[in-house]
Amino acid sequence: MTTRRTHTSLAASAMAVAAIASVGLVAVGGPASATGDEARTTPASATGTATAASTPSVIPGGDGLRWADCPASVKPGPGQRCATLSVPLDHGDPTGPRVDIAVSRLASVRPEARRGTLLVIAGGPGSSGVQRLSQKGAALAKETGGAYDLVAFDPRGVGGSTKARCGLADEDRWMVTLRSWPAADGSIGSNVERARRIAEACGRNGGAMLRSLTTANQVRDMEVLRQALGESKVSAWANSYGTYVAARYAQQYPDRTDRWVLDSSADPDPRRLAYGWLADMAKGAEDRFPDFAAWASHPDREAEGLRLADGPGEVRALVVGLAARLDREPRATSVPGALLTGAVLRQALQSALYSDAAFPGFARLVGQALDPKALPVLPPELTGAMPDEAAAITVGVVCNDVDWPRSVPAYARAVAADRARHPLTGGMPVNITPCAFWKGGAVEKPVRLTDDGPSNILMIQNLRDPSTPYSSGLRMRQALGDRARMVSVDRGGHGSYLVGAGGTGNACGDRTVTRFLLTGERPDADVRC
């Protein structure tokens, strides 16, 4: 069977990446927020180390939220309003410096149908809940028939909330440098130098604000938000990394949870937090790539100029071989100074695997890379540096949450083994990160999730998820025990629920989740859709 290659120079177009990977260190969520209001300045920029607290401070006098028009940067949908929630920088010091949390609400327009508030919890770390509500709020409100006020927030460090900064150089804030893609020969020397440099800059410039970026503090901030909303209980739809936040909240405040949906979960084992999530991306890419290979070899692609080969196996060989060639001979692109290397191609692939909608863009990029006369067009997120505050949140949470391995030789061995085992991801998922040199290590001891608490959790997980593999979702399911039921969806992509608004699941999965949110009814046992 001969390999078909696309040799035509294709028109410039960005990949359809509305639901692709986080641009951060650990890809367990949606795009890290690179836009939004600047921090509403408070004394929260004070330096020092934020200390732990077991419970958040109660809002004095039970003050609620003052809703107003959203900033234009939010791109709010009809009826969406915004507010600011003030929380302590350190919940152990409620009278000390404070930070602002950006909050947004889409109120129910059917008072007779309203049963409460549903929190929309974004992934990341680094994704904006306020932006997620702008993108999905109308569809979610329609799906749930006005049963909820829909409320989302930007975690501290994100979007319109108070931000931290590390003061990183531009070259350390590109996606393919902030993520540790090994050198073309598999060596990690430059990754080690960059990881140390980033960690030192964050330690020098981040202060107490950076050290306050933890899952535990996001959970505490959520509890203050619940109080401010005046709700005795809240429901939730959490996505990706947000499922870990939501699961932690459900463990710490079980009596404050109503109907809890975890969409695309990662492994919550405290021995595998963050480091294990990143490593899982290699397995996720292998699970998901056959979907792209089948699509890119289908005869229907011929008329579109996107058919890469006659069969799925040939598509894999083509992509792996092209990445190896670009390792040796990078290509110039349509953006001066932005080269198409093997690492950039692999990163573009990893991003494209998040949604079928991104397949055409990646196929075009492959076709352009194969055409010696073409000037490849990279997706926008691979053509420049992300803002410093976005880089700070993406490294801050995962490095503050848990102590990472520190042995450089062990990372080098892991990369060599993983490159051989998983050529699609080239060793990046197990490579060294700034967390190996993080000043102060973990802020608090990681928490082990248990099955203690009400049985009011519904999980939904695609079978072929490139970021939070199905096997990782099963480990969250095991940890929650009788508290949860799981809907396994025979689809590929990340973020399953709400197909009409970019979800990658199917109608069966959507019906099951919506039924639960509307009636509280869950399957008697785990089901497959």
Side-chain angles (χ1 to χ4, degrees):
M1 191 78 72
T2 57
T3 300
R4 298 179 186 268
R5 298 182 177 180
T6 306
H7 288 294
T8 55
S9 179
L10 300 167
S13 62
M15 284 202 300
V17 290
I20 65 167
S22 162
V23 295
L25 185 65
V26 177
V28 289
S33 175
T35 59
D37 293 348
E38 281 301 304
R40 297 167 174 85
T41 54
T42 70
S45 58
T47 59
T49 300
T51 58
S54 58
T55 57
S57 53
V58 176
I59 298 174
D63 292 342
L65 293 159
R66 295 173 178 85
W67 301 103
D69 291 342
C70 294
S73 59
V74 170
K75 298 180 180 178
Q80 187 175 347
R81 305 276 279 171
C82 288
T84 300
L85 175 71
S86 177
V87 301
L89 172 69
D90 176 359
H91 284 278
D93 181 17
T95 62
R98 303 184 73 79
V99 299
D100 286 347
I101 303 297
V103 182
S104 187
R105 180 180 69 178
L106 187 60
S108 170
V109 295
R110 297 183 61 214
E112 73 281 3
R114 184 188 182 278
R115 65 173 310 277
T117 292
L118 175 69
L119 297 181
V120 177
I121 306 173
S127 294
S128 165
V130 173
Q131 296 286 356
R132 186 169 179 83
L133 185 61
S134 297
Q135 296 158 4
K136 299 181 181 293
L140 182 59
K142 181 178 180 181
E143 184 76 5
T144 55
Y148 296 95
D149 291 341
L150 306 178
V151 174
F153 62 98
D154 286 348
R156 56 174 71 192
V158 175
S161 297
T162 306
K163 298 182 181 69
R165 290 176 173 81
C166 286
L168 303 182
D170 284 0
E171 61 267 24
D172 291 338
R173 291 187 276 110
W174 286 60
M175 186 188 297
V176 292
T177 54
L178 192 60
R179 284 194 181 169
S180 290
W181 290 96
D185 62 358
S187 61
I188 68 168
S190 61
N191 303 127
V192 173
E193 293 176 5
R194 180 173 293 109
R196 182 181 284 110
R197 185 166 64 243
I198 291 173
E200 289 175 350
C202 289
R204 185 168 58 249
N205 302 318
M209 185 61 211
L210 182 70
R211 289 292 278 168
S212 81
L213 303 180
T214 65
T215 298
N217 274 336
Q218 186 170 335
V219 167
R220 295 173 185 126
D221 294 347
M222 281 175 56
E223 173 59 6
V224 177
L225 175 59
R226 180 199 61 77
Q227 296 171 24
L229 292 167
E231 298 280 13
S232 59
K233 293 185 177 183
V234 288
S235 296
W237 170 37
N239 178 260
S240 196
Y241 161 72
T243 64
Y244 178 63
V245 176
R248 287 279 300 268
Y249 183 95
Q251 176 143 316
Q252 189 163 342
Y253 306 105
D255 295 336
R256 301 302 186 187
T257 62
D258 188 7
R259 296 170 184 173
W260 224 240
V261 175
L262 307 185
D263 183 346
S264 306
S265 299
D267 183 357
D269 187 335
R271 296 169 299 182
R272 299 194 75 251
L273 290 182
Y275 178 73
W277 297 342
L278 184 58
D280 281 349
M281 289 172 58
K283 173 68 163 57
E286 296 290 349
D287 289 347
R288 173 64 163 149
F289 187 82
D291 289 342
F292 172 75
W295 179 92
S297 60
H298 195 280
D300 286 352
R301 304 287 87 76
E302 197 77 62
E304 302 164 358
L306 298 176
R307 194 180 188 199
L308 299 180
D310 292 332
E314 294 175 11
V315 172
R316 181 184 175 94
L318 176 64
V319 171
V320 171
L322 177 59
R325 185 192 314 169
L326 291 169
D327 280 337
R328 299 187 300 269
E329 301 173 359
R331 291 280 307 275
T333 70
S334 60
V335 177
L339 294 177
L340 177 56
T341 65
V344 169
L345 185 76
R346 295 182 188 99
Q347 179 58 61
L349 169 63
Q350 200 278 331
S351 298
L353 294 179
Y354 272 57
S355 171
D356 289 6
F359 286 180
F362 182 70
R364 290 188 187 99
L365 180 61
V366 170
Q368 292 164 350
L370 292 169
D371 182 355
K373 297 180 181 179
L375 198 61
V377 178
L378 297 180
E381 69 274 10
L382 294 179
T383 60
M386 70 178 71
D388 186 66
E389 59 268 20
I393 181 67
T394 59
V395 298
V397 174
V398 295
C399 297
N400 287 332
D401 265 8
V402 64
D403 291 322
W404 286 54
R406 293 184 176 268
S407 169
V408 172
Y411 280 108
R413 291 191 296 270
V415 166
D418 211 56
R419 281 168 62 86
R421 187 180 304 116
H422 302 297
L424 293 174
T425 48
M428 181 276 291
V430 297
N431 202 0
I432 198 164
T433 72
C435 302
F437 304 105
W438 202 247
K439 183 179 179 180
V443 173
E444 302 178 45
K445 186 178 180 179
V447 171
R448 181 173 294 279
L449 297 182
T450 72
D451 60 358
D452 294 334
S455 184
N456 62 350
I457 299 173
L458 182 65
M459 297 177 59
I460 185 166
Q461 195 96 7
N462 285 347
L463 296 182
R464 300 178 300 282
D465 187 318
S467 181
T468 52
Y470 184 68
S471 54
S472 294
L474 289 177
R475 288 191 281 268
M476 175 71 87
R477 174 69 185 88
Q478 182 179 22
L480 295 174
D482 288 339
R483 297 198 67 182
R485 301 289 185 271
M486 185 168 181
V487 183
S488 302
V489 180
D490 188 7
R491 288 291 187 272
H494 185 60
S496 186
Y497 181 55
L498 214 59
V499 172
T504 61
N506 61 21
C508 168
D510 278 8
R511 283 195 304 270
T512 307
V513 172
T514 300
R515 184 185 307 118
F516 172 60
L517 290 175
L518 291 178
T519 69
E521 178 186 347
R522 295 181 310 175
D524 293 334
D526 294 353
V527 298
R528 177 172 289 203
C529 282

